[in-house]
């Protein structure tokens, strides 16, 4: 039987081992943080949500039965948390989108040492993607982001949202096409980003 | 993201589309995925993760959280029982207290209270029996409840006697 460090850590987490939780955080924290950022939360809010998520995991992980799809499960919990937060904000202050707070992300990105032209171009690209994502309805954006960061299959997304798989496919297709169209409108070549890195917090 | 190939079979089974249509859709999706992948290069400062990890270590354990919840539940249950007990005592029908033979004035007050209690009980019984009597006196007919029949003669007097006659057309 293959050694599965994730399964071992999950078992440790279920026993209440904090170090195992910290390990999970190291493994998934950055991806989850980006997930929250892309859902339009400001950097401080995304950090708070990340913390809330792991505190929630302290309780929820006991109910998790490891079947090799921990990512999907974790990101579904994260999506539920983000959705609850979104609803809470909408009820509280009628804020439907966090666009005003999104400027925090923009500022953070722009302030990340825009010396090299490639870096600047990358920031424009990130900005452009954020713009394109913001144009999607919240539910569709969540679906795209959940698929992208959580690596969920269409079937898993369909199960999570209790939607027919055809609907999920159509929504993902339409939304991604929309994003591509917006991003390709500028007709700029997409740079080879693999060599480029930017720091949200340099 | 390479879900597409794996999922093609599943999607073909479930969707009413031919293979080419699904391949085309999935290819579109893959292009979108690649674009997202290329544009998503936000690097997260490790200090942020460390900060959250430190807060997580300080957070109460799930066991203590559960234990805390259990104590809260027990406290809530105890409070509920006390409230129920209080309400039960409050609404319990009054019964005459035991008569103490030691003091004459006390005894007098007890007797007066018992008399008052008996009168009240008699009055309640009378009201109840009156209501039951009136009820049995009423000449209930199906017609009184469902309305007049269309065929056959109507008897407005009978209708008028019933307290539940409701709106009627009097011929």
């Amino acid at each position: 039987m293959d050694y599965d460090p994730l399964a071992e850590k999950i078992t440790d987490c279920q026993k209440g081992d904090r170090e195992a939780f910290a390990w999970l955080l190291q493994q998934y924290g950055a991806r989850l943080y980006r997930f929250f950022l892309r859902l339009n939360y400001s950097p401080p809010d995304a950090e708070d949500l990340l913390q809330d998520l792991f505190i929630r995991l302290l309780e929820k992980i006991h109910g998790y039965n490891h079947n090799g799809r921990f990512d999907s499960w974790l990101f579904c919990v994260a999506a539920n948390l983000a959705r609850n937060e979104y609803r809470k904000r909408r009820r509280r202050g009628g804020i439907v989108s966090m666009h005003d707070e999104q400027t925090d992300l923009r500022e953070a990105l722009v302030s990340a040492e825009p010396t090299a032209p490639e870096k600047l171009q990358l920031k424009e690209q990130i900005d452009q993607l954020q713009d394109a994502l913001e144009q999607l309805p919240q539910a569709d954006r969540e679906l795209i982001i959940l698929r992208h960061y959580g690596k969920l299959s269409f079937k898993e997304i369909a199960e999570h949202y209790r939607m027919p798989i055809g609907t999920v496919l159509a929504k993902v297709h339409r939304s991604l096409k929309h994003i591509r169209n917006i991003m390709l409108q500028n007709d700029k070549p997409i740079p080879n980003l693999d060599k480029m890195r930017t720091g949200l917090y340099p | 993201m390479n879900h597409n190939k794996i999922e093609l079979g599943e999607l073909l089974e479930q969707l009413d589309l031919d293979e080419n249509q699904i391949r085309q859709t999935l290819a579109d999706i893959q292009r979108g995925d690649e674009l997202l992948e290329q544009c998503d290069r936000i690097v997260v400062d490790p200090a942020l993760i460390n900060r959250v990890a430190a807060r997580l270590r300080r957070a109460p354990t799930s066991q203590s959280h559960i234990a805390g919840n259990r104590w809260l539940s027990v406290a809530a249950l105890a409070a509920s029982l006390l409230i129920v007990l209080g309400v039960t005592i409050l609404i319990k029908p009054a019964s005459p207290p035991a008569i103490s033979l030691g003091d004459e004035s006390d005894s007098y007050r007890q007797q007066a209270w018992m008399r008052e209690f008996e009168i009240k009980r008699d009055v309640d019984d009378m009201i109840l029996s009156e209501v039951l009597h009136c009820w049995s006196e009423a000449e209930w007919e199906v017609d009184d409840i469902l309305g007049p029949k269309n065929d056959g003669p109507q008897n407005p007097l009978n209708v008028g006697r019933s307290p539940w006659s409701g709106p009627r057309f009097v011929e």
Side-chain angles (χ1 to χ4, degrees), chain B residues 69-126:
Chain B
N69 278 350
R70 194 175 298 136
W71 280 114
L72 275 178
S73 306
V74 170
L77 185 67
S80 309
L81 282 173
L82 280 174
I83 290 167
V84 168
L85 190 66
V87 170
T88 311
I89 289 167
L90 203 70
I91 62 169
K92 193 180 155 197
S95 56
I99 299 164
S100 76
L101 299 172
D103 191 334
E104 271 187 25
S105 63
D106 243 357
S107 167
Y108 177 77
R109 271 203 295 270
Q110 293 287 353
Q111 280 174 12
W113 194 89
M114 275 180 73
R115 182 72 195 135
E116 197 182 316
F117 175 77
E118 278 165 12
I119 290 168
K120 188 176 177 299
R121 194 178 56 196
D122 288 345
V123 169
D124 286 348
D125 287 349
M126 273 167 60

Side-chain angles (χ1 to χ4, degrees), chain A:
Chain A
M1 197 174 162
D2 289 341
Y3 171 68
D4 183 0
L6 178 62
E8 192 184 73
K9 292 293 178 188
I10 290 168
T11 310
D12 290 345
C13 285
Q14 287 171 331
K15 288 175 190 161
D17 181 355
R18 285 311 164 89
E19 289 311 312
F21 274 104
W23 185 86
L24 281 185
L25 185 64
Q26 293 295 339
Q27 297 297 311
Y28 294 98
R31 227 164 94 197
L32 285 162
Y33 179 73
R34 288 200 296 265
F35 170 76
F36 290 129
L37 278 182
R38 287 300 189 198
L39 281 176
N40 246 2
Y41 287 96
S42 66
D45 284 347
E47 187 177 335
D48 286 347
L49 281 168
L50 183 65
Q51 186 185 321
D52 289 352
L53 174 68
F54 272 83
I55 286 171
R56 188 176 282 201
L57 281 188
L58 291 172
E59 297 163 37
K60 277 201 169 267
I61 200 133
H62 296 283
Y64 172 71
N65 186 19
H66 189 49
N67 55 0
R69 297 293 295 150
F70 180 70
D71 297 32
S72 316
W73 180 80
L74 179 63
F75 277 83
C76 284
V77 176
N80 287 343
L81 181 72
R83 205 176 314 129
N84 286 345
E85 181 62 25
Y86 176 76
R87 283 188 192 135
K88 237 187 279 172
R89 283 172 186 228
R90 200 166 57 170
R91 268 201 305 271
R92 238 179 4 225
I95 302 167
V96 176
S97 74
M98 281 71 82
H99 283 207
D100 47 343
E101 294 179 15
Q102 195 53 47
T103 50
D104 294 351
L105 171 61
R106 298 274 159 76
E107 282 163 14
L109 290 169
V110 171
S111 67
E113 295 176 27
T115 46
E118 278 188 332
K119 263 191 168 180
L120 193 62
Q121 196 180 357
L122 174 63
K123 283 183 196 91
E124 279 174 14
Q125 202 90 41
I126 291 169
D127 233 19
Q128 234 180 343
L129 175 62
Q130 198 65 27
D131 279 338
L133 283 168
E134 279 175 20
Q135 288 186 33
L136 294 175
Q138 176 73 13
D140 292 355
R141 179 167 54 219
E142 186 185 306
L143 208 141
I144 293 288
I145 300 297
L146 186 59
R147 188 178 127 76
H148 178 67
Y149 287 102
K151 314 283 181 207
L152 266 73
S153 67
F154 288 114
K155 195 178 167 189
E156 285 167 333
I157 294 173
E159 278 167 8
H160 178 66
Y161 288 100
R162 296 195 181 102
M163 276 181 204
I165 197 165
T167 311
V168 173
L169 183 69
K171 275 175 178 278
V172 169
H173 183 223
R174 194 181 55 224
S175 303
L176 284 177
K177 216 169 175 179
H178 181 75
I179 290 171
R180 282 190 79 229
N181 286 342
I182 292 174
M183 295 196 67
L184 298 176
Q185 259 171 14
N186 288 356
D187 210 20
K188 282 181 190 167
I190 296 168
N192 180 10
L193 300 170
D194 290 337
K195 294 177 186 169
M196 297 161 57
R197 310 277 283 173
T198 187
L200 185 54
Y201 294 90

